[in-house]
Amino acid sequence: MASDPPTLSLLRNPLIQSPSGLRASADPSARTAAPPKVTTPPNVRIVRCEKHHLPSFRRINSLLLPIRYPDSFYNAILSDTVVNDLTRVAVWHEADPSDPNLRKTPAVEKSLESPVKDPGEEANDQKQHPSGSEKDLSQPSPGKVIGGIRCRLEPAHLPIGSPLYRQPGASSSSGAVTQTLYVQTITLLSPYRGLGLATALLDAIVAAARDHGVTEIYAHVWEANDEALQWYARRGFEIGEEIQTGYYTKLKPNGARVARKVIGPQATAR
């Protein structure tokens, strides 16, 4: 839908080149092997987005996506139960140095860490712990939001002949109304990539979406973001050949391709 912004910035910012300066193959079907299994760090929690998560989630999206979402986009996460059910954030908790099973926080540049610092939390810290005092180390850390995903439901539009095809809005045998899950945003700060967290975010949403009668999931991906297209392809998404020109007003080229996947009752993003 032309009114929606970019949906994927988990591999690199779509406005800059990858660190190596190299671009991946332009054909997302050239490498569609399943992604290697990665053990998600145990000190990361994939959780529903709550009020105290919103400032960081919003800043990460502003940092990584070339478009600004309105206040209503974020307010709905708290006010709409369905939107809340289809939104997750990844929260990184500091590792206990004595626990070898937990990963330490990656080295993060100040330019990345500061935008996701909640000013309200910082002011509260200063109020509760004046200069020279220490925080109560017995209290568990709330963790740091390092990424997130937000989706919405749309009427199902599977092609006629699909095993899961039903008329849009028709009830399934279980009584659930068939729906399509649209990935609006999925972002992850670069120091935390390669740990399976983006897939964990997507899997969490797919699991929640089953309760809403979802039969397929899709996303728009910038046509020049080859890494993102391959990321979807490796997870079983079909990448449409058609390019929707003019989809992104602030990017050149300005087209998008659709990544789509039919999911069954027990399907996951992998």
Side-chain angles (χ1 to χ4, degrees), residues 164 166 170-178 265:
L164 297 178
R166 284 183 290 272
S171 296
S172 67
S173 57
S174 64
V177 175
T178 59

Side-chain angles (χ1 to χ4, degrees), residues 18-29:
S18 57
S20 65
L22 300 176
R23 294 177 64 88
S25 167
D27 181 6
S29 64

Side-chain angles (χ1 to χ4, degrees), residues 6 65 93 115 124 128 133 208 210 227 244 246 251 269:
L65 299 177
H93 295 270
N124 190 50
Q128 294 182 6
S133 67
R210 298 192 196 111
E227 292 177 85
Q244 300 182 15
L251 298 178

Side-chain angles (χ1 to χ4, degrees), residues 173-189:
S173 57
S174 64
V177 175
T178 59
Q179 303 273 15
T180 292
L181 184 69
Y182 178 60
V183 180
Q184 293 178 280
T185 66
I186 176 169
T187 51
L188 190 66
L189 290 174

Side-chain angles (χ1 to χ4, degrees), residues 127-145:
K127 184 183 298 183
Q128 294 182 6
H129 312 286
S131 178
S133 67
E134 295 183 355
K135 297 182 180 181
D136 182 359
L137 299 181
S138 66
Q139 297 299 318
S141 169
K144 178 174 68 174
V145 175

Side-chain angles (χ1 to χ4, degrees), residues 12-270:
R12 61 180 172 89
N13 188 319
L15 295 179
I16 61 176
Q17 288 284 351
S18 57
S20 65
L22 300 176
R23 294 177 64 88
S25 167
D27 181 6
S29 64
R31 283 185 285 174
T32 57
K37 291 185 177 181
V38 179
T39 301
T40 302
N43 50 315
V44 176
R45 302 291 183 265
I46 306 299
V47 299
R48 290 174 180 269
C49 185
E50 299 182 18
K51 185 176 181 179
H52 64 279
H53 296 136
L54 271 181
S56 294
F57 182 42
R58 185 168 189 160
R59 284 182 172 84
I60 290 173
N61 284 347
S62 297
L63 176 69
L64 298 180
L65 299 177
I67 196 167
R68 298 295 179 263
Y69 284 89
D71 291 342
S72 58
F73 179 86
Y74 296 98
N75 293 339
I77 295 174
L78 301 180
S79 63
D80 189 311
T81 56
V82 174
V83 174
N84 183 264
D85 197 30
L86 299 176
T87 303
R88 294 290 187 276
V89 291
V91 180
W92 184 281
H93 295 270
E94 293 298 332
D96 180 350
S98 65
D99 188 342
N101 295 318
L102 299 187
R103 295 188 186 231
K104 295 181 179 179
T105 303
V108 184
E109 297 179 4
K110 291 289 185 181
S111 60
L112 283 180
E113 214 164 35
S114 56
V116 299
K117 178 68 174 179
D118 184 353
E121 292 178 355
E122 185 172 359
N124 190 50
D125 285 345
Q126 293 175 354
K127 184 183 298 183
Q128 294 182 6
H129 312 286
S131 178
S133 67
E134 295 183 355
K135 297 182 180 181
D136 182 359
L137 299 181
S138 66
Q139 297 299 318
S141 169
K144 178 174 68 174
V145 175
I146 59 174
I149 183 172
R150 186 194 191 278
C151 303
R152 73 172 182 225
L153 294 178
E154 296 180 354
H157 45 80
L158 292 169
I160 296 176
S162 166
L164 297 178
Y165 174 80
R166 284 183 290 272
Q167 292 294 331
S171 296
S172 67
S173 57
S174 64
V177 175
T178 59
Q179 303 273 15
T180 292
L181 184 69
Y182 178 60
V183 180
Q184 293 178 280
T185 66
I186 176 169
T187 51
L188 190 66
L189 290 174
S190 60
Y192 302 91
R193 297 168 191 169
L195 302 177
L197 299 178
T199 299
L201 284 165
L202 189 58
D203 279 347
I205 291 298
V206 169
R210 298 192 196 111
D211 294 335
H212 297 278
V214 167
T215 53
E216 67 172 343
I217 179 172
Y218 81 104
H220 286 96
V221 185
W222 184 36
E223 62 173 305
N225 195 341
D226 303 324
E227 292 177 85
L229 290 167
Q230 292 172 13
W231 185 88
Y232 276 112
R234 288 195 299 270
R235 284 153 184 82
F237 284 75
E238 293 185 3
I239 310 300
E241 294 295 331
E242 179 182 356
I243 295 178
Q244 300 182 15
T245 58
Y247 187 84
Y248 299 117
T249 59
K250 296 184 179 181
L251 298 178
K252 292 184 179 180
N254 61 14
R257 296 175 70 178
V258 174
R260 189 183 303 277
K261 179 179 181 180
V262 174
I263 58 176
Q266 303 301 319
T268 65
R270 290 187 178 84

